[in-house]
Amino acid sequence: MGKQIIILGIESSCDETAASVCINGNIVSNSVQSQQIHSAYGGVVPELASRAHDRNIVPVVHKSIQEANIHKNQITAIAFTQGPGLMGSLLVGVNFAKAMALANGIAMVGVDHMKAHIYANCISMEAPIFPFLCLTASGGHTHLHLVHDYFRAELLGQTIDDAVGEAFDKAAKLLGLGYPGGPLLDKMAVQGDSTKYTFSKPRVPGLDFSFSGVKTSFLYFLKSRLEKEPDFVARNLHDLCASYQQTLIDIVVDKVEKAMVDFPTKCIALAGGVSANSLLRKSFLELGKSKGVKVCIPPLEYCTDNAAMIAFYGFHLYQAGVRAPQDAVPYTTMS
Ligand code: KG4
Ligand code: ZN
């Protein structure tokens, strides 16, 4: 049997502290510690996020090593999220990785968080066929890529303003649903009528997206109705959620359908936190079926932020010879 390549993955870009162990490309442990502290503020407070990462990182890494049933001396390399994300949060993971790599005399691999989201699709046995179209929808990004292989993802389109996750979170906040908004709005929408209200959709040329107009039209709609009916939101919460969610999902799915005409592939895939959305998953499956292409959607644990995707993509980068130096620095925006 050849030498095992054991990668410890570390993710700390936003508000989840996560660690995972990947052995020869297989995920053997995956620990995530979410930060509840932000719920009182309706959104992520960067300084509180870094402090929580600082508290959580040692126990989370320890748990993932234990669950993988390995000793830390067996680890070949540490893959860490280098960016994009919140600077204070990234610094905790990057510095932890540096210290552990130095102490154990092992290599480091810097991983791009958004690329790791895309390749989370390849963790499963039902991996996509290259090249595939991938919609990556998260709290800070909305991207459409033509993914050629593990090292080349061609950006075809992206949002020109807000990300789709942001559009979910801001509307959820307006409706008083709390944090994190996207999953709560998704839950409320299940019992609602998605045809009850309509919100204007943007007309953005090419394969780019825009969500700020829909979000603003939702805000003004709520304001005008609340002036006449103070309990409007309370009485129509489910329908409001379902109608708004339908508008957002129609926008992204329509763009993917357009991209499928311009860039025909045998497979389409979803990535990022918003790919946990029940309507997006359903609509994507229907789109693939109607066009006769394979649809890949990561399991829920690999959609939202996790370290399995960092360890897995780190494994592929490590094998390709990618290494990070001890003076590697995090980056907050896309590389
Ligand atoms: O990828 P992710 O976990 O973190 C970032 O890299 O940003 O994505 C987080 C985003 C948040 O905006 C969150 O509200 C959204 O994903 N999200 C959802 C759902 N689950 C997470 N949005 C809609 N429906 C969901 N079920
Ligand atoms: Zn993410």
Side-chain angles (χ1 to χ4, degrees):
M1 205 171 82
K3 191 180 179 300
Q4 286 195 321
I5 296 179
I6 304 184
I7 306 289
L8 168 68
I10 291 172
E11 154 64 31
S12 72
S13 64
C14 190
D15 60 340
E16 326 275 352
T17 320
S20 166
V21 174
C22 173
I23 304 184
N24 289 347
N26 299 307
I27 299 300
V28 294
S29 73
N30 185 24
S31 312
V32 184
Q33 177 69 60
S34 300
Q35 303 178 356
Q36 288 314 316
I37 193 158
H38 309 289
S39 53
Y41 304 91
V44 179
V45 183
E47 181 57 29
L48 295 179
S50 349
R51 292 182 199 193
H53 282 304
D54 207 29
R55 279 192 302 276
N56 296 340
I57 194 138
V58 173
V60 167
V61 168
H62 186 70
K63 187 164 176 252
S64 78
I65 291 175
Q66 266 195 331
E67 280 177 8
N69 211 10
I70 57 160
H71 188 273
K72 67 178 188 321
N73 293 345
Q74 292 174 270
I75 296 169
T76 315
I78 303 179
F80 60 93
T81 301
Q82 194 166 358
L86 300 169
M87 181 48 88
S89 294
L90 289 165
L91 275 169
V92 176
V94 173
N95 284 315
F96 180 90
K98 285 181 183 180
M100 190 167 170
L102 196 62
N104 290 279
I106 53 175
M108 286 192 297
V109 182
V111 174
D112 182 274
H113 180 90
M114 298 313 297
K115 289 209 180 107
H117 268 306
I118 296 176
Y119 296 108
N121 275 290
C122 305
I123 298 176
S124 107
M125 300 288 280
E126 278 292 298
I129 317 150
F130 291 115
F132 62 90
L133 277 173
C134 184
L135 172 76
T136 314
S138 72
H141 301 87
T142 308
H143 293 155
L144 197 50
H145 281 101
L146 178 60
V147 187
H148 296 276
D149 54 40
Y150 275 111
F151 310 102
R152 197 157 66 98
E154 187 183 341
L155 186 64
L156 304 178
Q158 62 183 315
T159 182
I160 55 168
D161 41 54
D162 293 348
V164 62
E166 220 172 323
F168 267 104
D169 294 339
K170 287 185 179 159
K173 201 170 174 181
L174 285 175
L175 294 170
L177 295 181
Y179 159 91
L184 295 170
L185 198 147
D186 184 0
K187 220 171 179 180
M188 288 291 158
V190 173
Q191 299 158 48
D193 173 2
S194 63
T195 60
K196 183 131 175 222
Y197 307 108
T198 48
F199 304 101
S200 57
K201 289 185 194 147
R203 284 194 207 162
V204 184
L207 296 176
D208 285 335
F209 304 86
S210 165
F211 297 99
S212 72
V214 193
K215 187 192 68 189
T216 312
S217 85
F218 186 67
L219 168 72
Y220 285 124
F221 172 75
L222 282 188
K223 267 193 178 162
S224 75
R225 297 300 289 259
L226 282 168
E227 274 168 18
K228 293 179 214 130
E229 255 182 273
D231 61 349
F232 176 71
V233 168
R235 291 203 300 113
N236 299 285
L237 186 59
H238 296 287
D239 296 340
L240 281 166
C241 290
S243 303
Y244 182 72
Q245 173 174 269
Q246 186 73 53
T247 310
L248 294 181
I249 300 307
D250 283 350
I251 295 170
V252 291
V253 172
D254 286 353
K255 277 285 155 142
V256 176
E257 195 170 349
K258 186 171 188 312
M260 288 168 84
V261 176
D262 298 348
F263 299 92
T265 55
K266 292 198 180 79
C267 180
I268 55 172
L270 269 184
V274 183
S275 55
N277 182 268
S278 55
L279 181 65
L280 179 57
R281 295 171 86 86
K282 185 168 154 268
S283 311
F284 219 68
L285 283 171
E286 284 167 4
L287 174 66
K289 202 170 169 199
S290 75
K291 305 284 178 194
V293 301
K294 180 180 163 107
V295 176
C296 289
I297 307 178
L300 287 178
E301 60 182 333
Y302 299 154
C303 287
T304 46
D305 285 349
N306 65 89
M309 65 183 193
I310 305 299
F312 177 79
Y313 189 41
F315 167 78
H316 286 276
L317 293 172
Y318 179 85
Q319 280 207 310
V322 176
R323 304 287 183 269
Q326 266 291 330
D327 61 357
V329 284
Y331 50 87
T332 54
T333 50
M334 265 173 71
S335 57

